[in-house]
Amino acid sequence: MLDLLHIVKSHEDSGSTADFVALGYLHDEQDPHTAFIIQHKEYLTEFHYDGGSVVYTTLFDSYFHKNTLTIHPDEVPAFIVYCKQIKQKAKPIYGFFYSGEFYDEEGNYLMNKDLGERMTCVGFCLNVLKGFLEEDYIDYTDWGSETHTKPDYLKSYCKRYNLDIEKVKASHRRITPLEYLTSGLFSNLPIRKSQIDSWKDDVREYLVKRL
């Protein structure tokens, strides 16, 4: 059985002096958010895309986090260097898109040329994970356009940014912050939506009890 108790409050009860990279989840009923929570030499930092810019800073917000099972503690210094490379170069635009893009080892974004550097906070984290791990972290094709339920979102987004809807619609999907956090319970890649779906309600219930 997967151990939900390994999801902790970052500031209050991480209880670790060892290095780690964790998947961070900032709870908000209307607008939850994701990040990486990184501990190195007992210092906690957060790395994320806040919808406007890419941020690498001392941990400030009150996240929940789950240590990822896919990045070894010995790799944390290399991960920090990678994050700093990305911060220098990344210029994402907010949008509900992800189709397997990633940041390379020098922080360059290898993009869908028709879409550009467009992503949510979750998409940003997935781009980082894929680049660092050099393989797909999740099987993103399990999420279709129906996972974003706002009517006419894609049509209005493409009109606003002058995008060809036929060229970018295959990249339109929403992978939620809760799904991102829940993915931290698994280690075999790529992680499937069915695996996440089987645990995300339990994770949600656990988080509500810890608020």
Side-chain angles (χ1 to χ4, degrees), residues 57-70:
T57 186
T58 300
L59 181 63
F60 175 76
D61 291 308
S62 299
Y63 288 92
F64 287 96
H65 76 243
K66 168 66 178 68
N67 290 8
T68 179
L69 302 174
T70 58

Side-chain angles (χ1 to χ4, degrees), residues 23-80:
L23 310 184
Y25 173 89
L26 189 62
H27 182 80
D28 184 302
E29 290 292 343
Q30 301 301 319
D31 190 24
H33 182 61
T34 61
F36 292 102
I37 308 302
I38 306 164
Q39 180 160 296
H40 180 52
K41 296 182 178 179
E42 301 184 27
Y43 291 99
L44 281 170
T45 54
E46 57 183 285
F47 180 58
H48 59 111
Y49 168 48
D50 66 6
S53 60
V54 173
V55 179
Y56 184 90
T57 186
T58 300
L59 181 63
F60 175 76
D61 291 308
S62 299
Y63 288 92
F64 287 96
H65 76 243
K66 168 66 178 68
N67 290 8
T68 179
L69 302 174
T70 58
I71 299 175
H72 191 273
D74 291 344
E75 297 177 297
V76 171
F79 186 77
I80 290 172

Side-chain angles (χ1 to χ4, degrees), residues 153-171:
Y153 173 86
L154 181 59
K155 181 179 179 180
S156 60
Y157 189 95
C158 289
K159 182 178 180 180
R160 177 182 177 186
Y161 290 102
N162 195 30
L163 297 172
D164 185 336
I165 192 170
E166 293 302 318
K167 292 183 177 179
V168 304
K169 65 182 181 180
S171 300

Side-chain angles (χ1 to χ4, degrees), residues 83-146:
C83 292
K84 290 180 177 179
Q85 292 274 67
I86 293 170
K87 185 181 184 305
Q88 288 179 355
K89 298 181 179 180
K91 296 180 180 179
I93 299 170
Y94 196 84
F96 289 91
F97 299 94
Y98 182 70
S99 55
E101 293 79 21
F102 61 96
Y103 293 98
D104 70 14
E105 63 183 7
E106 296 179 351
N108 301 305
Y109 185 61
L110 302 188
M111 67 181 69
N112 175 330
K113 63 186 173 101
D114 296 314
L115 187 59
E117 195 172 352
R118 300 176 191 272
M119 62 196 73
T120 62
C121 58
V122 174
F124 175 77
C125 292
L126 296 177
N127 285 317
V128 173
L129 284 166
K130 180 173 181 175
F132 188 77
L133 298 171
E134 299 183 329
E135 61 179 308
D136 281 320
Y137 175 71
I138 63 167
D139 190 339
Y140 62 89
T141 61
D142 287 347
W143 285 260
S145 60
E146 76 283 353

Side-chain angles (χ1 to χ4, degrees), residues 137-148 173-176 178-180 182-183 186 188 190-201:
Y137 175 71
I138 63 167
D139 190 339
Y140 62 89
T141 61
D142 287 347
W143 285 260
S145 60
E146 76 283 353
T147 54
H148 188 284
R173 53 181 48 85
R174 186 184 186 209
I175 303 167
T176 69
L178 182 65
E179 289 171 326
Y180 168 75
T182 305
S183 74
F186 304 98
N188 293 328
I191 299 163
R192 303 299 303 268
K193 188 175 186 297
S194 58
Q195 294 174 278
I196 292 172
D197 286 346
S198 69
W199 278 93
K200 69 180 182 182
D201 288 341

